[in-house]
């Protein structure tokens, strides 16, 4: 399981995308080498925010890349990969429990369909900490509740108890909703010339889908000269928007 969730290396990314066309970004764009590491941010909040940003930008890319053979190939390959892993993840109960997910939903070959499939896959491939699982069972909670609580809390027993104690057990990690398209941040993102240019590049789509699959792969895509300008612009605009909101 760990091997499946491991992010690709930079060498694997370059080998898989070597056939894709290069895009020349404006000279005034942000530096290719990102100035901040993904690990420096508040991970729990930023991962959810980053996913909402990416979902919104992918919705824009769907029209821009319609009929693009490279984008279509990326979607077909990702669709096959996700469908296979969804079937495998549903073939037996979650480790240490009798809980089993129902048969997985079908995965569409569209970018939005891949996103929905990846989010469903992350839910089904989560493995609860067995010590925390047993402790929460001892408190009277059912396995299906415990699995959701530990998934939301990143296997923290204390935070899982807090989540289980709330009336509104929202699971933001399962959401496929993007940004409000009337929001200041969305407008800033789609108006940025570097981002607008990048949205026409199938490799950016591959990077976005890779980050949805494994958020920590953002660091690798920040090391790629084709995708770093777009990601750096996204991160800078996000932080600027947060600063204006505070």
């Amino acid at each position: 399981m760990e091997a499946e969730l491991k992010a690709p290396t930079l060498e694997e990314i370059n080998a898989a995308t070597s056939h894709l066309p290069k895009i020349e970004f404006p000279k005034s764009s942000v530096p290719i080498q990102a100035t901040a590491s993904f690990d420096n941010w508040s991970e729990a909040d930023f991962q959810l925010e980053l996913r909402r940003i990416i979902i919104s930008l992918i919705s824009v890319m769907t029209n821009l890349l319609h009929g693009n053979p490279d984008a279509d190939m990326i979607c077909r390959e990702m669709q096959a990969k996700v469908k296979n892993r969804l079937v495998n993840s549903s073939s037996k109960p979650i480790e240490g429990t009798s809980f089993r997910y129902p048969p997985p939903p079908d995965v569409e070959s569209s970018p939005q369909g891949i996103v929905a499939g990846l989010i469903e896959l992350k839910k089904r491939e989560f493995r609860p900490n067995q010590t925390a699982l047993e402790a929460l069972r001892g408190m009277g909670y059912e396995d299906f509740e415990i699995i959701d609580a530990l998934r939301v809390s990143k296997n923290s027993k204390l935070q899982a108890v807090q989540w289980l104690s709330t009336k509104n057990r929202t699971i933001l990690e399962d959401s496929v909703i993007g940004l409000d398209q009337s929001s200041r941040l969305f407008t800033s993102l789609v108006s940025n010339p570097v981002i607008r240019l990048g949205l026409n590049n199938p490799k950016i789509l591959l990077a976005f889908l890779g980050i949805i699959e494994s958020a920590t792969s953002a660091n690798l895509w920040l090391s790629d000269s084709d995708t770093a300008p777009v990601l750096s612009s996204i991160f800078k605009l996000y932080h600027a928007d947060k600063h204006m909101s505070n």
Side-chain angles (χ1 to χ4, degrees):
M1 185 61 62
E2 291 298 325
E4 287 181 350
L5 294 176
K6 185 179 180 182
T9 64
L10 183 59
E11 290 73 17
E12 290 170 338
I13 290 172
N14 290 332
T17 60
S18 60
H19 68 288
L20 296 178
K22 301 285 185 180
I23 287 186
E24 293 296 328
F25 290 96
K27 296 294 185 181
S28 59
S29 68
V30 293
I32 288 177
Q33 183 61 42
T35 57
S37 168
F38 178 76
D39 297 326
N40 292 334
W41 294 310
S42 174
E43 276 197 40
D45 292 337
F46 185 73
Q47 285 184 15
L48 292 174
E49 287 293 317
L50 179 58
R51 187 170 71 187
R52 293 180 65 212
I53 290 170
I54 288 176
I55 288 172
S56 299
L57 294 179
I58 284 177
S59 69
V60 176
M61 297 182 80
T62 299
N63 291 328
L64 296 175
L65 294 176
H66 180 70
N68 182 292
D70 291 323
D72 290 344
M73 181 188 68
I74 289 171
C75 286
R76 287 194 302 270
E77 291 181 353
M78 288 292 291
Q79 179 194 34
K81 172 184 174 182
V82 172
K83 288 178 71 172
N84 181 61
R85 285 172 59 183
L86 278 172
V87 170
N88 290 339
S89 67
S90 306
S91 62
K92 56 186 178 181
I94 300 296
E95 180 183 356
T97 77
S98 59
F99 177 79
R100 183 197 298 264
Y101 284 107
D106 193 23
V107 179
E108 298 179 3
S109 61
S110 65
Q112 291 99 327
I114 304 300
V115 169
L118 286 170
I119 291 174
E120 180 69 19
L121 181 64
K122 291 185 74 171
K123 177 176 76 174
R124 291 172 180 248
E125 288 190 342
F126 171 76
R127 293 297 176 263
N129 176 278
Q130 295 301 301
T131 301
L133 175 67
E134 291 297 335
L136 293 171
R137 266 189 188 145
M139 298 173 68
Y141 293 108
E142 299 291 334
D143 282 354
F144 74 92
E145 297 178 289
I146 297 171
I147 291 168
D148 280 343
L150 290 175
R151 183 162 59 86
V152 169
S153 66
K154 306 291 189 296
N155 269 326
S156 165
K157 187 184 75 171
L158 177 60
Q159 292 180 27
V161 170
Q162 293 173 345
W163 184 83
L164 287 165
S165 301
T166 62
K167 293 182 179 180
N168 181 21
R169 296 180 180 178
T170 304
I171 305 180
L172 297 176
E173 286 78 2
D174 294 346
S175 173
V176 293
I177 299 174
L179 298 172
D180 179 354
Q181 295 196 359
S182 64
S183 67
R184 179 179 60 212
L185 178 56
F186 180 81
T187 300
S188 298
L189 291 166
V190 297
S191 301
N192 181 275
V194 174
I195 296 174
R196 287 174 63 89
L197 183 60
L199 295 182
N200 292 278
N201 185 355
K203 190 170 183 179
I204 300 296
L205 175 62
L206 181 61
F208 283 171
L209 294 175
I211 294 171
I212 292 288
E213 179 180 8
S214 175
T216 55
S217 70
N219 278 331
L220 287 171
W221 291 109
L222 280 167
S223 301
D224 187 294
S225 61
D226 293 326
T227 55
V230 172
L231 292 175
S232 296
S233 295
I234 290 172
F235 298 156
K236 287 188 175 184
L237 288 171
Y238 167 79
H239 286 296
D241 184 78
K242 285 297 181 184
H243 179 73
M244 291 177 66
S245 299
N246 292 334

